[in-house]
Amino acid sequence: MAKPIQLLAKSSKLLHSLAEKGALPISELAEELDMPRPSVYRLIDALRLVGLVSTAEDGRSQLGAEVLHLARAVLDALPEARAAQSELQRLNQVTGQTVYLCAPRDNRVACLDWVRGTRVSLLALSPGGALPVNAGATSRVVLAYSPGLLARLSGTPFEQLTPKTLTSLESLEHDGRAIRERGYSVSSEDVTLGVSALGVPVFGPAGELSCAISLAGLTDDILGNEPEYANELMVSASRIQEALEAPL
């Protein structure tokens, strides 16, 4: 029998695979987990008993409904997510674009919550995922408003996700200055070709960067509506900041 910690690691990897790729057959899960199929069947049966995995109509394994309950509990425990929820919905209704709430986590920028838009189905970031600080609208906002972060990361190579990703220290320093001058970031196809985004910072009660929000969609839609969308983001950021500052 596998040791408990190994079993937990395999369970975590299985759930992450289903989250990233959707429903998967046993054969593919066995390959990803490097486990015999009978062991994968047993693991899936155990996860199914607690509601973390379910079976799709075609027999493939998929995430179970209990994951939604756990995810909602995590979001409810995050002050940023509670404060931003209504504004994420508002931005989506006003623009039709995908709206992100992200925050710095371990030298990357993690997606805490989102509201999916109607125009783009394939996006590189979803809740629970993360991007490097040099790529994406919220990432570059975090980098621009986090004193010392760029210097701390300058000794390691920056990831290049597309040909348009900023990877030099000089280009990121220039980008940070431009973001602080205009008050928002412009991510033009630096994460996914054909997809662009605008992002703005949200500050906490002490004036420190708390999180960032963004609008993402097809490049023509986002950049063609840049002034309007940037203004809507700034309005929402101000409201989220007020909610963070309000006494409980």
Side-chain angles (χ1 to χ4, degrees):
M1 179 179 293
K3 295 180 180 179
I5 191 67
Q6 294 173 333
L7 187 59
L8 286 172
K10 293 292 187 182
S11 298
S12 175
K13 188 172 182 179
L14 186 150
L15 293 172
H16 276 85
S17 294
L18 296 179
E20 292 170 4
K21 299 182 179 181
L24 294 174
I26 293 294
S27 58
E28 189 169 341
L29 285 170
E31 184 177 344
E32 289 208 13
L33 297 173
D34 192 23
M35 292 175 66
R37 292 193 188 186
S39 298
V40 177
Y41 276 113
R42 288 194 294 272
L43 181 58
I44 287 174
D45 284 342
L47 293 172
R48 188 183 293 117
L49 285 174
V50 294
L52 295 177
V53 170
S54 63
T55 302
E57 292 183 359
D58 59 5
R60 294 182 298 169
S61 295
Q62 62 186 9
L63 291 178
E66 182 64 17
V67 173
L68 293 173
H69 173 70
L70 297 175
R72 190 70 257 169
V74 171
L75 288 176
D76 289 344
L78 295 173
E80 302 97 328
R82 293 198 305 271
Q85 190 173 29
S86 62
E87 285 303 313
L88 299 187
Q89 294 287 346
R90 186 192 74 83
L91 285 168
N92 172 259
Q93 292 169 4
V94 168
T95 68
Q97 307 296 342
T98 297
V99 190
Y100 284 105
L101 170 69
C102 300
R105 296 289 188 271
D106 298 326
N107 291 335
R108 292 175 71 82
V109 177
C111 177
L112 305 182
D113 201 2
W114 71 345
V115 180
R116 296 192 67 170
T118 57
R119 297 180 176 90
V120 180
S121 58
L122 295 176
L123 290 163
L125 187 63
S126 59
L131 289 173
V133 294
N134 61 306
T138 52
S139 293
R140 285 158 57 186
V141 161
V142 167
L143 188 60
Y145 287 95
S146 299
L149 179 56
L150 186 57
R152 292 199 302 273
L153 298 176
S154 62
T156 57
F158 291 102
E159 295 180 47
Q160 183 162 17
L161 304 182
T162 78
K164 296 189 176 184
T165 307
L166 302 180
T167 57
S168 72
L169 188 62
E170 182 180 4
S171 64
L172 289 166
E173 288 175 340
H174 181 270
D175 182 60
R177 289 193 295 270
I179 291 170
R180 291 189 293 272
E181 287 175 5
R182 75 168 82 93
Y184 64 91
S185 65
V186 180
S187 164
S188 180
E189 304 186 5
D190 65 338
V191 174
T192 303
L193 293 177
V195 174
S196 294
L198 306 176
V200 300
V202 177
F203 299 100
E208 78 289 0
L209 179 79
S210 173
C211 54
I213 56 173
S214 67
L215 287 171
L218 297 174
T219 293
D220 288 346
D221 288 343
I222 296 297
L223 300 188
N225 293 283
E226 181 179 332
E228 174 192 347
Y229 285 177
N231 182 67
E232 292 291 351
L233 280 165
M234 290 180 185
V235 169
S236 287
S238 177
R239 292 174 178 171
I240 295 169
Q241 185 170 330
E242 289 177 2
L244 286 171
E245 294 173 348
L248 296 177

